[in-house]
Amino acid sequence: MSAAWDSIFSSGFSLQTGLRAEWTIGDGLIPTNGTEIKREYTNLFPSIFLSRNLKKNQTLNLSYSKRINRPNYNSFNPTIFYLTDFTSQVGNPNLNPSFTHAWEMGFNRQNFNVIAYYNDTRGEAREILTRLSEETLQYNWRNLDHARIAGLSVSVTPKITKWWELQVRGNLYHKQYQSTFEDVNDIDVGMTTFQGRIGTSFTLPHNTRAEASFEYNGREIYGQYGSGANYATYLNLSKSFGSKMTIYIQAVDIFNQLRYEFFNDQQEITT
């Protein structure tokens, strides 16, 4: 159930508010071991969006919303799955949904957009690696106590000519995770990360479009885990045949630069 209210003021302000009520009922059964998973809870989710139109096609926005993220059913499954002879994976029937308070402030002017944001999340679900013995490891889903992320996103899409356009996007943000456990080391980690993309596109004759882009993702953390920096270059070519059909050709990582690295400093494991 939801309700919304919109209002436009003569001074150029626009206000949108809303309130959503959710009643959730979940009932699951694992036939192999008879485990029942039951959930029932009610929550309210308010939201507010305030904007003001400035001069020269400029807009200033401010918003707040409360959000929910529910774990999927595989995360609940307590059946042990063996990934290798020494590593297993198991779900958590006691896993709860996570709730996020999200704030955003943005400025937009034609082909320029900047957004400052802050998210405060309680109960984010993450896989936690537990060392069962000197040789065996187990992944187990847990709710983290507290996760925060604050960042600044900027995008610019200047049109150089009628047939040539640039796209530049950057996102700089800081993540912080905190949680306590009884069987593994507590989590209290933070890291600042940058993600960026530079692209260019060309409109060619005969309904043909060519694009080239370079993407970079910096070193990042996800609770107990982290990923190393990676980058790659992409090429795309498309041709449209009226409004009925378009053919795409894509070349991914043309210089063979893309590498993925995952690490767990707590358990001294790198893959």
Side-chain angles (χ1 to χ4, degrees):
M1 182 177 65
S2 62
W5 178 72
D6 295 351
S7 181
I8 300 177
F9 304 96
S10 58
S11 58
F13 281 97
S14 174
L15 176 65
Q16 297 177 333
T17 60
L19 180 65
R20 188 177 82 253
E22 288 190 3
W23 178 34
T24 302
I25 300 177
D27 191 357
L29 174 66
I30 301 176
T32 55
N33 55 19
T35 300
E36 289 188 76
I37 303 173
K38 294 182 179 293
R39 289 289 186 275
E40 182 175 354
Y41 48 87
T42 303
N43 296 106
L44 296 176
F45 299 95
S47 63
I48 183 170
F49 182 85
L50 178 66
S51 67
R52 184 182 183 186
N53 293 323
L54 307 176
K55 298 179 180 179
K56 298 181 180 180
N57 297 321
Q58 302 176 69
T59 305
L60 186 65
N61 303 313
L62 182 65
S63 67
Y64 162 79
S65 64
K66 182 182 178 182
R67 306 167 185 172
I68 185 173
N69 186 24
R70 299 178 180 86
N72 59 53
Y73 277 99
N74 290 332
S75 305
F76 293 115
N77 192 348
T79 303
I80 298 176
F81 295 93
Y82 285 91
L83 305 177
T84 68
D85 292 339
F86 304 101
T87 306
S88 60
Q89 184 181 50
V90 64
N92 181 1
N94 298 316
L95 207 59
N96 293 312
S98 64
F99 297 91
T100 299
H101 296 276
W103 291 265
E104 284 190 3
M105 183 172 64
F107 173 80
N108 179 267
R109 180 182 178 182
Q110 295 180 342
N111 57 5
F112 174 77
N113 186 57
V114 58
I115 297 175
Y117 57 92
Y118 176 75
N119 292 344
D120 188 304
T121 302
R122 303 299 174 104
E124 181 175 328
R126 289 291 179 183
E127 277 192 308
I128 299 299
L129 184 62
T130 304
R131 190 179 293 275
L132 303 180
S133 69
E134 290 296 325
E135 296 182 344
T136 57
L137 303 170
Q138 187 174 80
Y139 294 94
N140 178 249
W141 284 96
R142 311 278 186 93
N143 288 111
L144 303 185
D145 295 338
H146 203 182
R148 294 184 294 268
I149 178 172
L152 183 69
S153 174
V154 179
S155 63
V156 184
T157 57
K159 198 173 184 64
I160 309 302
T161 67
K162 292 182 178 181
W163 50 269
W164 181 18
E165 182 178 296
L166 293 178
Q167 306 97 29
V168 181
R169 184 182 70 237
N171 187 15
L172 180 68
Y173 55 94
H174 181 81
K175 278 185 175 182
Q176 187 75 34
Y177 291 94
Q178 293 174 317
S179 195
T180 58
F181 304 101
E182 295 181 356
D183 53 347
V184 295
N185 295 337
D186 295 342
I187 295 175
D188 189 359
V189 293
M191 182 176 290
T192 300
T193 303
F194 174 77
Q195 295 178 337
R197 180 184 185 275
I198 300 176
T200 183
S201 59
F202 304 91
T203 301
L204 306 177
H206 308 296
N207 295 323
T208 304
R209 184 179 178 86
E211 299 180 8
S213 63
F214 174 81
E215 297 184 10
Y216 173 85
N217 299 292
R219 187 178 174 91
E220 188 169 5
I221 56 172
Y222 308 92
Q224 192 190 52
Y225 297 93
S227 62
N230 61 79
Y231 51 90
T233 304
Y234 304 85
L235 294 178
N236 295 278
L237 183 66
S238 63
K239 179 174 175 56
S240 298
F241 298 87
S243 60
K244 297 182 178 180
M245 183 175 66
T246 302
I247 296 177
Y248 295 91
I249 300 176
Q250 183 180 52
V252 178
D253 189 24
I254 60 174
F255 298 115
N256 192 27
Q257 301 166 311
L258 189 58
R259 300 291 185 272
Y260 292 105
E261 177 191 10
F262 300 95
F263 58 88
N264 185 326
D265 291 336
Q266 186 186 61
Q267 300 291 354
E268 298 179 352
I269 295 172
T270 300
T271 58

